Amino acid sequence: GTDTIEETSFAWDLLHSGPKPIVVTGAMRASHEDGDDGPVNLRDAVTVAAARAARDSGVTVVLAGSIEPADDVQKSHTTALDTFRSPNRGSLGRVGEGRVVLDCQRAPRRAVVTERAEPRVHLVTAGLESDGAVIDALLATPAAASGERSVAGMVVAATGSGNTHPGLLAAAERAMAAGIPVVLASRCPAGPVTPTYAFPGGGATWIRAGAIPAGTLSAVKARVALALGLGAGLAHDGLARLLADPLP
């Protein structure tokens, strides 16, 4: 449903190659409610999918007349009809009355080839005084019966441009020392993680420790990319290339 469109659409975008547009849509109001938006959204999604201008746009999300790129789109409001926004680069365009108007082309896309997503990827969100207790608990969780670790990778949603309590970084370093890839994202709705601050727990210290920066990907999208990258058998450098913002 719409609650996870920003993740499912991005997963398909990572796996989709070729020029055919794929359009994901849904409804914010159920069919028994006044103002049900499902039929209109479905009509608009078909219109975009059939438009020649939408070729090479990868996977997009279409609701409330907006056309959003799958790697940037986020659900910005719990109930609003126009909840889906792309905070980093903005909408690709609009659809309505049978017309598709694209204001810009999709930016270069990430891609991975795999038939498997690693399920043991966890998301840890940093907050005021959030230390490493959650990561240490994940590391201490007994391995599955198959002999695999209970955690194969993790994404840390840091504050600001990639900053956390130093204890959270210390726990992440223990995870990385055990061979578990750690991705550093931001809990902010827009903007990249950067090596700006070098205080203990600052973004620079995370990246020096070996954490993989997620570029402008939101933390939930970074988790999708990490799961698919691990499913593809990518090691640290391959994961870093997958997570980084593609060059124009």
Side-chain angles (χ1 to χ4, degrees):
T2 58
D3 284 349
T4 54
I5 274 182
E6 60 192 88
E7 294 163 82
T8 53
S9 63
F10 181 52
W12 295 330
D13 194 51
L14 287 169
L15 297 170
H16 174 55
S17 60
K20 291 182 179 180
I22 295 178
V23 182
V24 184
T25 191
M28 290 300 296
R29 290 181 183 166
S31 58
H32 66 276
E33 296 180 296
D34 291 338
D36 165 29
D37 58 327
V40 171
N41 289 338
L42 183 58
R43 180 199 66 196
D44 288 346
V46 172
T47 301
V48 173
R52 183 177 296 274
R55 287 177 66 84
D56 294 309
S57 61
V59 179
T60 56
V61 173
V62 171
L63 286 93
S66 68
I67 306 169
E68 308 293 332
D71 58 350
D72 197 18
V73 65
Q74 296 182 27
K75 191 172 188 178
S76 63
H77 190 281
T78 56
T79 59
L81 297 182
D82 60 348
T83 178
F84 289 98
R85 309 288 177 86
S86 300
N88 287 289
R89 290 175 294 278
S91 299
L92 296 176
R94 302 284 302 174
V95 55
E97 309 253 340
R99 292 185 63 239
V100 173
V101 178
L102 292 180
D103 300 319
C104 59
Q105 297 296 315
R106 269 294 295 270
R109 295 162 52 207
R110 299 168 176 82
V112 64
V113 178
T114 183
E115 296 182 357
R116 176 180 178 270
E118 171 56 61
R120 297 167 298 139
V121 175
H122 299 276
L123 175 60
V124 177
T125 302
L128 187 65
E129 291 300 310
S130 296
D131 59 16
V134 172
I135 292 179
D136 285 333
L138 288 170
L139 296 176
T141 302
S146 63
E148 296 179 318
R149 290 192 186 104
S150 58
V151 53
M154 62 181 68
V155 175
V156 174
T159 63
S161 59
N163 312 307
T164 72
H165 188 287
L168 190 56
L169 171 56
E173 289 177 315
R174 291 189 282 275
M176 289 185 280
I180 298 169
V182 175
V183 172
L184 183 68
S186 175
R187 69 180 198 184
C188 295
V193 291
T194 65
T196 302
Y197 296 105
F199 55 76
T205 61
W206 274 88
I207 293 172
R208 280 204 301 266
I212 300 170
T216 55
L217 286 179
S218 67
V220 294
K221 291 183 190 289
R223 179 174 175 266
V224 170
L226 179 58
L228 289 173
L230 290 173
L234 299 182
H236 182 279
D237 289 350
L239 292 171
R241 287 190 292 271
L242 177 63
L243 271 293
D245 289 335
L247 295 174

